[in-house]
Amino acid sequence: MAKASVRVGRVGIEVAGHVTFKPYPKTRAGRRVVPLPPFVVKLLRAHRELVTPGPAGEVFTNEAGGPLRRTVFRAWIWRPALVRAGLLGKVVQAGPRVWRATWRDRDGNEVIEEFPNRRVARARLSRMAQAGLRFHDLRHSYATWLVSDGVPINDVARVMGHEQISTTLDRYTHAFGAGAEKVRDSFADFPLTFEADEDESGP
């Protein structure tokens, strides 16, 4: 599959339920090119075969073919996806025609309700559960993954649209993990390292 990328050149803004487009991102660095992995290209091409682009060229649209509002996306797509992935509460079959949904309310208390089918249980959980992964958190996960995988920090800053590399460093280099071992390993055979003589008793 040919290499592909997406060019970020404008942004959509939702105000009072209406989506408008600005011809430029917040900063100059926001205009950028982001490389796409093959599996994303494959999924986007399949989506394009099924869904007609919106009037402004939108790839993802609502049922009427217009811009997809953030509030609708969160309620009908994002949170139900979290439920199906097991990242927002839990739905299990408790018996014949009995599905049990479990979630946390705003006070942190566990709530358990039973429903006649899984679809209804998931819908209720999606509406009622508090907290959960935000869609914007995917951006942070993406950057952290790139840093942890050894992608040069200036390249990470570029695809994230950061004007200053320091922004990328401050936000994402906390995910060190295996990187600490790489630092240690780099000095394992360093010519200036030495081992103290076990027979030496003095300095």
Side-chain angles (χ1 to χ4, degrees), residues 47-119:
H47 176 79
R48 189 170 59 184
E49 292 294 322
L50 298 173
V51 180
T52 302
E58 301 95 337
V59 175
F60 302 103
T61 60
N62 59 27
E63 292 182 348
L68 185 62
R69 291 190 291 130
R70 178 181 56 203
T71 47
V72 173
F73 172 80
R74 183 175 184 272
W76 292 97
I77 299 174
W78 178 246
R79 286 179 63 83
L82 291 181
V83 174
R84 291 194 300 272
L87 298 175
L88 185 67
K90 183 170 58 175
V91 174
V92 297
Q93 187 167 12
R97 298 183 182 178
V98 178
W99 294 85
R100 181 176 296 134
T102 306
W103 67 86
R104 296 279 177 183
D105 64 17
R106 65 178 64 255
D107 297 319
N109 301 314
E110 185 176 71
V111 179
I112 301 175
E113 292 185 11
E114 294 185 348
F115 302 88
N117 61 62
R118 181 164 53 186
R119 180 183 62 79

